[in-house]
Amino acid sequence: MSIQTILLTLVALLLFSYFLGRKRSLRSVKKGRGGDKLHSRPAYYGYMVALWAGIPAVIVLLLWTMFQSQIVTSLTVAGLPETMQAESQGGHGLVINEIMNLADSGMVAEKSDPTLKAAAEHYLRLRGISHQAIAVLALVAAVIGMLLGLRMVRPDTRARNVVERAIVWTMLGCAAIAILTTVGIVLSVLFESLRFFHAVPITDFLFGLTWSPQTALRADQVGSSGAFGAVPLFAGTMLISAIALAVAVPLGLMSAIYLSDYASPMMRAITKPVLEVLAGIPTVVYGFFAALTVAPFIRQAGEALGLDVASESALAAGLVMGIMLIPFISSLSDDALSAVPRAMRDGSLGLGATRSETIRKVLIPAALPGIVGGILLAASRAIGETMIVVMAAGLSANLTINPLEAVTTVTVQIVTLLTGDQEFDSPKTLAAFALGLGLFVITLLLNIVALKVIRRYREQYE
Amino acid sequence: MTATRDRIEATLRKRYRRERLFRFFGLVSLGISFLFLLILLFTIFRTGLPAFQQTWIKIDVDLDPAVLGVDRHASQDELFGANYAKAIKVSLRKIFPDAKGRKKKRGLKNLVSNSAPWQLRDAVMKHPDLIGTTHAFWFLAKDEVDVFMKGRIDRNLPESDRRLKDFQLAWIDKLLAEGRLEKRFNTTLFTAGDSREPEQAGVAGAIMGSFFTMLVTLLLSFPIGVAAAAYLEEFAPQNNRWVDFIEVNINNLAAVPSIIFGLLGLAVFINFFGVPRSTPLVGGLVLTLMTLPTIIIASRAAIKSVPPSIKQAAIGLGASPVQTLFHHTLPLAMPGILTGTIIGMAQALGETAPLLMIGMVAFVVDIPHGILDPATVMPVQVYLWSDSPERAFVERTSAAIIILLGFLVVMNSAAILLRRRFERKW
Amino acid sequence: MTDVLPTMPGLPTGETVVDDTPPMTETREEFDVEIKGTVGAPFVDDPKMSARHSNVFYGEKQAIFDVSLDIGRNEIIAMIGPSGCGKSTFLRTLNRMNDTIPICRVEGEHCLDGEDIYAPDQDPVLLRARVGMVFQKPNPFPKSIYDNVAYGPRLHGLARTRAELDEIVEKSLVRAGLFNEVKDDLHKPGTGLSGGQQQRLCIARAIAVDPEVILMDEPTSALDPIATATIEELMDELKSRYTIAVVTHSMQQAARVSQRTAYFHMGKLVEVNPTNQVFTTPQHQLTENYITGRFG
C-alpha cells in the first residue's frame, strides 16, 4: 500500500469514527446511561472518538517514517556478503548508495553484478514488506483507538474538555516547532562537523590560511582531502559584508531620516513603495544583476582608471549586497528614530537648533542603540547572504583586503561543496557542515545581541 | 543681548549651508535606491523582453519515402522510427546548394533547432498522407539564429569572435529575403520544461515546481504558524521560561541565514527521514521552517490587535477559551494573518539558497506532476540559466526573472489590497 | 499637541447652582455665553511681544480664534483655561514651534520687539534662540548634565573657548538654582536627575542661550508639589532678566507667580487683567465660572 492510500484510508476511518462517536453519544442519552443530559454537544464526542483513532495511527506512522529507512538499510547490509559488508562499513556508504540507486532506477534485471542485483532485490523486497507492515499496523492502531474511544462516550464524559485539551496541546506542539528547528539545526551541523573534525583537525580548520578542498581526484580516495583552512573564507565574507554595510548603513540611515523628517507626503507615498519593492526582490535577481551588469561595469570603470579589477571583484558583490540591505537598514532605523519621544525633538528645536542639528546631535545619539541593533541584524544578513555572492563573487580563496580582487565566502563554498554529485561522507561535504556551523554560530551571536539591544532600547522609551 | 544675537546671526549662514547639505545627502541616498531600481528593472526588461519572441524558420521539406525509409502506409511504430533528421538535412541542402564541405554542412544543420525532426515526426504521424509530398514546415530556429535576429550579434565583429560565421550570415540574409524567417510569440517559454537547447527551454517545469513547493509550504506553514501564534498569544502561561525560550527561538530563526535551513533539510529531511531529494515535498518542508517565523510574528500581531473586550464578551457568554479563539478571535484576526502569510509566501517563492542544498538545482526536463516528482523552482531556474554559457540563456534568464517578479508583484499587491480592504480601527 | 480638540466637560446635571448674577442656565452654561472679543486689558505700553488677530489652524480645524495680546517686558504673564482651550497652541506660535507641525497654519501679526516674527526674512532658528521654551514634561537629552546645558551655546557658537563654555554652563545652572546640587556630577547623564531637577536642568538649558523671552508650557504639571514650589521661586527670580509667558493648569500657580493673567476658552481669549483682579473680581462670566471651579 502506498502512503497516499494509507492516509486516505485513515482519513476515511477518522470520518467514520466521528459519526460513530456522535451517534453513540446521542443514543447514550436516550438510554439514560450515566445521566440524561450530554455534558458536551454531540459533535465533540465525535471529535473525541476521531482523536482516539487518529493519534495512535499518526504516532505509528511518524515512528515508521523516522526509522524505516535506517532499518531497511541495515537489514540490506546484513544480507550482503561478508566482504561487501566490511566495505560498506568503511564509512562511505557507497555500496548502499549503489544498491539504492539501482533499486530506484527500476532496472534491477539489467544489472550484471549478481551480488548487487541480489542486494537490490533484497532491498526492494524489504521495502515492500515494510510498506505492507506499516499499513496494517497503522490501521489496526486506528481501529483499536476508535474502539477505546467509543467506550468513553457516556453522557457524563467531558468530551469538549478532552477535545479542547488536545487542541491546546497541538497548538503548543506547533509553537515548539521553533525549538525543534533550532535543535535540528544545531544537531545536524554539529554532528557532521564533528565527523569532519575527525578527518581534519579543528585547529587546521580554524587557523589554516589555505582553502583548496578540490584536490580529491576520486571520491573513494581515503584521506585525499585538500587544505581546509577556513580563514580566507571568513576573511572574504567579512570583506564583502564590510563593503555592503559601508554602502547600506549611510544610505539606509539617510533615506530613513529624509523620509521621516524632510519628505513631503507625496514624496513619501512614492519612495516608500520603491524601498519595499527593493526589499521584495529575490536575492537571485540581485545576483544576476551583479554578475550581468555591475561587475562588468566596475571592471570597465577600473580599467578606465588604470586599475586591475577582477571580473568577480568583491566590490561588485558588496555593492549590490549593500543596495539589497538599504531597505532593511532604512526600516529598522526608521523604527529606532520614531521611538525617540517627540519631546526630545521639540526640546532641541525650541533651543533654536536646525532640523539637521536636531537629528545629528539629539535624535541619532538617542536612537543609537536601536540603530546599532539594526546594523548588527543587517551584518548577520550580509554574512549569511548566499545567492548574490554565489553568482557574483569568486570561487578561489584569496586572503586579501583589496576589494578589487576576487574573494570567496563561506556561503559560496557551502554551495559549491554541496551541489553536484558528492558522496555524503567525504570530507568535502562534511566541510560544508563545518562552515555551516561557523556561519550559524556567528549569525546566532549577532542576532541575539542585536535583538537584545533593540528590545532594551524599546523598553527604555516605553 | 544684542551681542548674543549678533553672534548667533554670524553662525547662521554656515549652519544653513550644513542643513542644506544634510538634506541633499538624504535626497541623494533615496535617489541612489531609486536609480538602482530603475537600472535593474531597465536592464532586466531590456534583456528579457526579446525572449518573449522566438524565431521560426520555414523549410519546404521533401518527405521522400526513400529518405524517410517509410511510406505512407507504414504503421505508427514505423513512422515513429523514420529518419526525419535526414529529410530536413536534404531539404536544407536544397535551399542552400552551396553548402559543401564538413564545416559548412554543420553550419547548415545549426540553423535549425535539433527539435525539428521531432516536430516533423509529430506532424507526419498525425497526417501520414504527407509522405511523398513536399510541404512547407515552420521549425524552431537554432538559438544563435534567434539571437542574431534580435540584433544581439554584431555582424561587424571579426568572424572568429562570432558564433555565426560569415557564410551562415549570408544564408540568414537569404532566408530573410525569401520570408523564411519569422519572429513569433514565444509559447515554448511557457509550455516547455528545461532544456540544454535555449530555444527549447521553458519555465513551465519551474512554475509547476514552484507551485507544488508553495502548496506544501502553505499547507504546512499556515496552520502551524497560526496555531503557534494563537498559543503564544492566548494560551501560553505568562513569564514561563519555556515560552520565553520559544519566543527567543522564533525571533532568532527569522534572522538565521537561509542556507542554514538548507543544511538542516539535507541532514534531517533527506538523510535522516529519507524524504526523496529534489522534490517539492522536501523543498516545501524546508521553506515551511523558513516561513514559519514570519507567519507566526504577523499572526501574533494580528491576534493581539483584536480588542480584549470581544474576547471577554464571548467568555462572559460561557464560551470556552478554545471556542472564543475559533469563533471570534481568529476570524477577526484573519485579514492580518493572511497578509502576513502572503508576505511569507512571497519570500519563500523568491528563496533560492536552501533549495540548492536539497537537490532542487537538478536539471529537470520533465514537468513535475506531483510533490514527489523531481522538480526545480523559478528562482533556481534563474540561477541555473544564469550559469549557462549560451547567449540565448541570458535573455531567457531575464525573462524568467520578469515572470518571477510578476508573480511577486501579484502576491504583494494582494497583500496590500487585503490590508487596505480589511484595515479596521477598533 | 494635546490641545487640538477642545473637550468641554459640562457641569454635572442636578447640581444646584446658586448664582446672583444675571440669570443663567444651570447646565452647559459655557456654551451659551457668547465671547464677544476680549474683556480687560490685553494691551500694554511698549510690549516685548505682541499678537494681533492671531488665528491658528490644524488642517481644517481652527484652534485659535482672533487672539490679540501683548506681553510686557520683564513680566510674568500666565495663561489659564480648560484643557483644549488653545493656550498651549498660542504659546507655541510665539516662537514658531508650530512650524514643526506640517498641517499647522498661522495667521495674524506676531511681533517680538516690534518685528514681525512670521515675516519672510525672519529666521526661526534665531527667533527660537531669542524666545526660549520649557516644556510640560522635563525633556533632558540623553547626554551629560554639562552637555545638556552646553547644547545651545555650542549650536549657536556662543562660546569661543572651553573656559567660556564652562562659564556659561555654570552661570546657567546657578541661575536655574541647580548648580549646588549637581556641581560634582556635571558629567553624569541628565536623565538620572529627579523630575524637578530635570525641569530645572531644562530651564538652565534654555537660559544658556541667553534668550529674551522664556515660554513655559505647564512646566510643573509633571512635578510633585515641592519641586513645583522650587520652580515657582525660580520663575520669580528669573523675571528680573527675562520676560516669561507661562501656560498653567493650576490657578494657584498663576495667582502665585504672574503679574497678569489671560483666560482662554475654546480657542478664544476671553479676559486679560492683572492677576489679582482676575482672581478676585473677574469681569467675564466664563472666567468666573472657571476660577470658581465650575469646570476645567
Side-chain angles (χ1 to χ4, degrees), chain C residues 119-139:
Chain C
D121 61 333
Q122 268 292 338
D123 189 285
V125 166
L126 180 60
L127 173 73
R128 288 180 202 141
R130 295 173 65 196
V131 182
M133 188 152 191
V134 175
F135 297 86
Q136 187 170 359
K137 241 179 89 185
N139 57 349

Side-chain angles (χ1 to χ4, degrees), chain A residues 177-190, chain B residues 263-265 267-268:
Chain A
I177 284 183
I179 295 182
L180 283 184
T181 310
T182 311
V183 171
I185 289 175
V186 171
L187 289 187
S188 56
V189 292
L190 200 63
Chain B
L263 292 178
L264 169 77
V268 173

Side-chain angles (χ1 to χ4, degrees), chain C:
Chain C
M1 277 303 299
T2 49
D3 283 357
V4 182
L5 281 175
T7 47
M8 286 283 126
L11 191 70
T13 39
E15 189 182 324
T16 334
V17 177
V18 187
D19 212 341
D20 44 11
T21 42
M24 305 258 316
T25 42
E26 275 80 7
T27 57
R28 298 173 50 94
E29 59 211 281
E30 67 270 27
F31 290 108
D32 300 333
V33 178
E34 217 180 319
I35 306 167
K36 291 194 188 104
T38 308
V39 298
F43 307 126
V44 298
D45 292 334
D46 186 28
K48 181 70 189 170
M49 293 197 83
S50 66
R52 292 291 179 274
H53 308 293
S54 176
N55 287 294
V56 180
F57 304 84
Y58 290 109
E60 294 296 299
K61 194 133 206 124
Q62 187 164 4
I64 297 285
F65 297 85
D66 198 37
V67 168
S68 295
L69 178 66
D70 281 349
I71 299 172
R73 285 176 199 280
N74 293 54
E75 74 167 355
I76 298 182
I77 181 167
M79 301 177 188
I80 59 171
S83 331
C85 66
K87 52 194 191 302
S88 285
T89 303
F90 178 71
L91 196 72
R92 291 169 68 100
T93 61
L94 296 178
N95 73 342
R96 292 184 61 173
M97 274 306 279
N98 283 330
D99 288 18
T100 62
I101 300 165
I103 55 163
C104 184
R105 190 159 51 83
V106 177
E107 287 172 3
E109 200 184 70
H110 306 76
C111 293
L112 172 63
D113 285 337
E115 296 168 39
D116 185 355
I117 58 174
Y118 282 87
D121 61 333
Q122 268 292 338
D123 189 285
V125 166
L126 180 60
L127 173 73
R128 288 180 202 141
R130 295 173 65 196
V131 182
M133 188 152 191
V134 175
F135 297 86
Q136 187 170 359
K137 241 179 89 185
N139 57 349
F141 303 136
K143 300 168 181 284
S144 70
I145 294 170
Y146 184 93
D147 286 339
N148 259 288
V149 182
Y151 181 78
R154 276 182 179 144
L155 281 182
H156 300 302
L158 298 184
R160 290 210 180 79
T161 60
R162 177 76 192 193
E164 270 184 47
L165 189 61
D166 287 348
E167 194 194 317
I168 293 177
V169 170
E170 185 182 331
K171 199 172 72 188
S172 309
L173 283 170
V174 168
R175 278 191 198 154
L178 190 63
F179 186 71
N180 285 331
E181 293 160 56
V182 300
K183 63 183 175 218
D184 301 323
D185 303 327
L186 285 181
H187 292 281
K188 291 196 178 157
T191 43
L193 297 173
S194 75
Q197 287 175 320
Q198 286 191 10
Q199 194 61 299
R200 277 182 284 152
L201 177 63
C202 292
I203 292 173
R205 190 175 67 185
I207 56 187
V209 291
D210 199 13
E212 299 159 39
V213 181
I214 303 176
L215 309 175
M216 295 187 174
D217 188 357
E218 303 190 20
T220 58
S221 67
L223 303 181
D224 60 65
I226 294 170
T228 302
T230 321
I231 301 272
E232 285 176 3
E233 277 168 34
L234 174 61
M235 285 161 74
D236 200 50
E237 283 164 30
L238 289 174
K239 84 167 185 252
S240 60
R241 298 183 150 269
Y242 310 101
T243 303
I244 296 175
V246 55
V247 162
T248 175
H249 235 83
S250 143
M251 281 173 280
Q252 290 85 342
Q253 182 167 72
R256 282 193 297 266
V257 300
S258 71
Q259 283 79 58
R260 285 163 74 225
T261 295
Y263 175 67
F264 282 77
H265 191 104
M266 288 183 80
K268 291 175 183 159
L269 180 55
V270 175
E271 175 172 350
V272 187
N273 267 318
T275 298
N276 52 12
Q277 190 182 334
V278 169
F279 285 101
T280 50
T281 51
Q283 284 184 353
H284 201 281
Q285 181 62 43
L286 285 169
T287 319
E288 182 172 344
N289 287 349
Y290 182 70
I291 62 166
T292 52
R294 299 225 182 128
F295 59 82

Side-chain angles (χ1 to χ4, degrees), chain A residues 282-432:
Chain A
T283 50
V284 70
V285 178
Y286 280 105
F288 177 66
F289 183 69
L292 182 77
T293 312
V294 178
F297 172 76
I298 288 178
R299 194 181 154 82
Q300 279 162 18
E303 271 168 9
L305 293 171
L307 292 170
D308 189 23
V309 184
S311 58
E312 294 179 319
S313 61
L315 187 59
L319 271 181
V320 173
M321 197 192 283
I323 302 275
M324 180 199 83
L325 290 176
I326 287 179
F328 190 69
I329 300 245
S330 150
S331 100
L332 286 171
S333 316
D334 191 30
D335 287 353
L337 285 169
S338 56
V340 179
R342 210 191 142 77
M344 296 280 161
R345 192 185 295 254
D346 280 354
S348 172
L349 291 173
L351 284 169
T354 61
R355 270 196 287 190
S356 67
E357 284 162 349
T358 303
I359 293 164
R360 280 186 289 131
K361 301 199 168 134
V362 176
L363 293 190
I364 292 182
L368 202 59
I371 295 172
V372 168
I375 292 174
L376 289 181
L377 278 184
S380 152
R381 269 185 76 154
I383 290 169
E385 170 50 41
T386 309
M387 291 321 291
I388 293 177
V389 280
V390 165
M391 295 165 86
L395 281 175
S396 58
N398 283 334
L399 192 53
T400 174
I401 52 161
N402 180 356
L404 302 179
E405 278 185 50
V407 295
T408 191
T409 72
V410 175
T411 49
V412 171
Q413 290 304 318
I414 294 178
V415 170
T416 8
L417 293 174
L418 285 182
T419 49
D421 295 322
Q422 302 288 342
E423 273 322 308
F424 190 67
D425 290 355
S426 78
K428 272 173 72 173
T429 48
L430 292 180

Side-chain angles (χ1 to χ4, degrees), chain A residues 66 164 182 262 356-357 424, chain B residues 15 19 249 252 271 273 320:
Chain A
M66 262 192 250
E164 289 188 347
T182 311
Y262 289 105
S356 67
E357 284 162 349
F424 190 67
Chain B
R15 287 167 66 192
E19 170 79 21
N249 267 296
N252 178 55
N271 288 325
F273 284 106
S320 70

